[in-house]
Every structure is written in C-alpha cells, then in structure tokens.
Amino acid sequence: MIDTNDENMLLSRRTLMAGGVATGVAAGLPISAMASVATPPGSADDGALPADPATRAAIVRRMRLRHNAGHVFWWFRGTSYAQQGATLIPLCGMVFGSMIKVTPRDDGGLNVIQYELGFRTDLETGERLEKMRNPLTGQMIEIPFAPVGPTAFSYSATNDLILPEMIGGSRFTIEHIPELFYRAGDMVLFQYQSRATVETKGKPDRILNDLGNIYGPASEALDANLPTANAWVQGTDVTDYARWLQMPPGMGTQTLRSIGQKVFRFEDMPKDWLEMITKADPKMADDPLAVFDREEATYRN
C-alpha cells in the first residue's frame, strides 16, 4: 500500500547528474518530494525495506548524494531524438557529467553546490559536435558550450528544498509526482518523475519532463553505517526542443534515453567526457574542483 503522507527527500535525476539543467531537462534540478515504499505488480519485493520515513530519507540521501562532507560525481550517456507522434528521429548522442559538493550542517540539513557540463556527440563516431545539421529543417546549427552552474541550494533538516529564485538567469518551476521506492531482489530502486517549466526573458517557455529509475545494491543502500552508496540511473526526458535547435513550432518534441552511474572521483568519470573537458575547458581539467568557485554560467538551453 502506498502511503502518500510519508514525506521524504528525493532529488530528481541530475541533482545527481542532474544532465539536467544543462541538457535542458527537469532532471537538472533538485526537488523535494513525496516518497513511498511500494510493491509494483509482479515485483520480487521480499518486504525487507524499512518503513519509517526518517530511515527511508536516509537511504535516498545515501544513494543520491552522501551523508558526510565531500563530493559525488554522476555521469550519463544516451541518444537525443526528435519525436513526432510515435516516430523517433535520432538527433545526436550525449555524454554528460555532474559534479556535486556536499556540506552537512549542524542542524541536519545539507548545503549543496552543483556544476554540470554535457557534450553532444556524433551518432556514429562518438566525437564531440560543435555544429550539426537539423534533420527536420536541414539547417546547420551551432551547438553552444553550455555548462550549468555552479548552482548553490540547500536542504533543511526535514528535507525541504531551498532553491535560489533564479538559476543562470532563468526561472524554474517544478511539479512533482510521488516516487515509488521499492526492493527487487538484491536491489533497492526508486522511480521518479517530475515536470519543470523554464522561463527565460525574451524566449519561449519550455516544458521539461524527466522520469526514470535510480537503483543500487541493497547491501549498501540499507547500511546505516555507510555515508554513501554506489548507484546507477536509467532515465528518459520528454521536453520541448532545446532552443538552440531552432525548431519551428509544430515539429514535435525532444526525447532523451540515457543510462548513468554515480562515482566518487573526477578521474573515474567516462574517458571520452574527460577528454572533451581537456579540449573544451583546460582550466577545469587541470583543477576540476575549482569550478565550484566560478561565477554562475547563464542558462543557454
């Protein structure tokens, strides 16, 4: 039975990767949400999940971020499509990284700083694209170098999210659907779904939907002695087109399918992403943690 009165902290996918804001999807933002332990039809749930809200909130924090001070890094990769009805038209690949600095407070809350950077890639070679031909319009378009952040936000001791009024000069309004959080064999998983509206002065609003699953070993996710745990993600974004694609009205929507992983060192991020960082932003490659002290970049998606 789903208890919709059980309030926990759940972050949308790219707070961990988020890929989120930088790709122009809802996952780029952390959100506060309702979470429940549920047994989906046909699942192998063995009833081994704790029932109390505080323990569940601790599990999610352990999987998404960490309880102690330090850094986590999320990467994901996937394919972006133009979607027209049920037809998917490949646009480009994506390799994305999110760097997150976590600082616990004495009151039980968290201060968080997040920096995100994604690269669009050739569908055949995997090489970074700086230009691409829009397959629907035939137009050759420039792909912006568009990091997001560093974005500072926080959580209260009761996991209420405190976001800045503006992020990179744009306003994000988040709507959230309650998560399903459950056990399947040796894995703990939770499903998430969110919708964001992005308002940028002088540009049309964008609707960004983000949905997927975050999962990890139960032996780590349920271990109260561990400050953080290994985790993976599988996600789908369904959004209005990124503005830089210059799509005329009526051309459908944009869809991204991706997989990803949480790691604990910058050097453990995907090799191709690290190589693209070295070429595109040598200062970041030389001193990656210094990005948390940069001025906030303008949101360009």
Side-chain angles (χ1 to χ4, degrees):
M1 180 176 179
I2 298 176
D3 177 8
T4 55
N5 292 312
D6 184 11
E7 294 190 61
N8 284 303
M9 175 197 72
L10 282 175
L11 314 176
S12 91
R13 172 158 48 97
R14 289 183 215 60
T15 295
L16 48 87
M17 314 185 286
V21 180
T23 62
V25 292
L29 291 175
I31 55 177
S32 172
M34 308 274 286
S36 304
V37 172
T39 305
S43 81
D45 192 323
D46 64 1
L49 284 170
D52 65 286
T55 302
R56 294 182 193 169
I59 291 169
V60 173
R61 187 175 287 191
R62 186 176 301 117
M63 294 177 71
R64 260 294 169 74
L65 296 171
R66 58 190 303 149
H67 286 277
N68 58 348
H71 300 87
V72 295
F73 305 85
W74 280 90
W75 62 262
F76 75 88
R77 64 174 70 249
T79 301
S80 290
Y81 300 86
Q83 181 163 349
Q84 296 186 318
T87 299
L88 293 174
I89 304 163
L91 294 172
C92 59
M94 164 72 76
V95 56
F96 190 93
S98 181
M99 304 170 59
I100 305 167
K101 180 179 180 180
V102 178
T103 306
R105 299 195 307 271
D106 291 341
D107 65 359
L110 292 177
N111 291 333
V112 179
I113 304 176
Q114 179 171 294
Y115 188 86
E116 301 178 313
L117 182 55
F119 297 100
R120 280 73 180 181
T121 59
D122 185 272
L123 291 167
E124 294 183 2
T125 68
E127 296 294 320
R128 178 191 173 193
L129 294 174
E130 298 183 56
K131 295 181 179 181
M132 62 172 282
R133 189 170 299 280
N134 185 323
L136 300 185
T137 66
Q139 181 181 5
M140 183 64 74
I141 52 179
E142 300 278 347
I143 300 175
F145 179 70
V148 176
T151 304
F153 53 94
S154 63
Y155 289 94
S156 71
T158 55
N159 292 326
D160 296 315
L161 174 69
I162 300 96
L163 278 178
E165 182 178 357
M166 305 291 284
I167 295 177
S170 293
R171 187 183 308 276
F172 286 76
T173 305
I174 305 292
E175 301 172 34
H176 194 232
I177 294 174
E179 274 83 355
L180 296 177
F181 179 30
Y182 58 96
R183 175 83 175 264
D186 295 331
M187 306 297 289
V188 169
L189 310 89
F190 54 87
Q191 297 175 336
Y192 61 83
Q193 183 173 348
S194 63
R195 170 188 166 106
T197 301
V198 184
E199 299 173 85
T200 305
K201 186 176 181 180
K203 296 182 179 181
D205 294 350
R206 293 188 68 204
I207 302 297
L208 316 171
N209 294 286
D210 176 39
L211 55 159
N213 298 279
I214 291 175
Y215 54 95
S219 60
E220 297 184 24
L222 302 180
D223 188 344
N225 294 315
L226 290 179
T228 189
N230 286 292
W232 289 261
V233 65
Q234 173 277 324
T236 300
D237 305 319
V238 180
T239 74
D240 291 324
Y241 287 112
R243 294 159 178 153
W244 56 263
L245 279 167
Q246 301 179 40
M247 286 287 193
M251 299 296 280
T253 56
Q254 186 174 337
T255 295
L256 171 72
R257 298 183 64 212
S258 64
I259 58 172
Q261 182 183 9
K262 172 186 171 185
V263 297
F264 303 99
R265 302 186 307 168
F266 181 77
E267 56 264 37
D268 292 332
M269 294 289 275
K271 181 179 178 181
D272 54 350
W273 184 79
L274 292 172
E275 291 174 345
M276 292 176 197
I277 291 289
T278 299
K279 294 178 180 178
D281 191 344
K283 290 184 178 180
M284 178 178 172
D286 290 340
D287 188 2
L289 299 186
V291 298
F292 295 115
D293 297 320
R294 291 182 174 183
E295 293 186 8
E296 185 181 35
T298 299
Y299 180 76
R300 300 180 63 193
N301 291 289

